[in-house]
Amino acid sequence: MREKLNLAAVGIVCATITYFSVYQSFSLVGYTGSSYILHGLAYFGLAAVLLMHFHPTKHGIMESIILASAAGIGIELIQSALSYRTFSFLDIMVNTFGASLVVFDYHGFAVDKIVALEDKALDQIKDLNKVVPV
């Protein structure tokens, strides 16, 4: 059950980042500083939920950073094909930097909060199954 929950979180975060990265009406043109902060936070979040899937080990941390960074590169490539978006190496660097911050936080605030939410959800599912057997 935990694996399904982890994959669902990865899918939701990926879908959210992709949506806001390619949707024409959402643009932070003229708000460069805010844009880079959002990029960094988004890819930190993606790396954090990926880390929950891969587990907080050295190998899992590297996989999370690599996959989150690869997703950022993929989205930049998609943006290069869109007439209303542009490809940016700086965005790729900020995305990778944001994903890399998971190294410092893998037993810190954000990832621990995600694990706590995941544990709470799993406990509620277990309690529900006790009341209504499936």
Side-chain angles (χ1 to χ4, degrees), residues 17 25-26 33 42 108 127 133-134:
I17 291 171
S25 294
F26 186 80
D127 290 345
V134 180

Side-chain angles (χ1 to χ4, degrees), residues 3 10 13 19 21 34 52 59 68 74 77 90 96-97 99 101 112:
E3 289 295 318
V10 170
V13 172
Y19 176 79
S21 296
S34 299
M52 293 301 92
H59 189 69
L77 291 172
L90 185 55
T96 301
F97 176 76
L101 290 177
D112 280 351

Side-chain angles (χ1 to χ4, degrees), residues 89-130:
F89 282 111
L90 185 55
D91 283 355
I92 291 173
M93 290 176 16
V94 171
N95 297 346
T96 301
F97 176 76
S100 298
L101 290 177
V102 80
V103 167
F104 301 110
D105 193 68
Y106 77 96
H107 282 301
F109 177 75
V111 175
D112 280 351
K113 293 293 182 188
I114 294 169
V115 171
L117 285 171
E118 185 178 65
D119 289 340
K120 188 175 182 178
L122 289 171
D123 287 342
Q124 289 179 349
I125 291 169
K126 286 178 189 175
D127 290 345
L128 184 61
N129 285 338
K130 288 178 187 175

Side-chain angles (χ1 to χ4, degrees), residues 1 14 20 34 37 43 46 51 77 83 92 104 112 120:
M1 185 63 155
C14 278
F20 285 111
S34 299
I37 290 169
Y43 285 89
L46 178 57
L51 186 56
L77 291 172
S83 62
I92 291 173
F104 301 110
D112 280 351
K120 188 175 182 178

Side-chain angles (χ1 to χ4, degrees), residues 59-76:
H59 189 69
I61 292 168
M62 289 308 300
E63 287 177 334
S64 299
I65 293 169
I66 290 168
L67 284 176
S69 299
I73 292 168
I75 287 174
E76 287 301 316

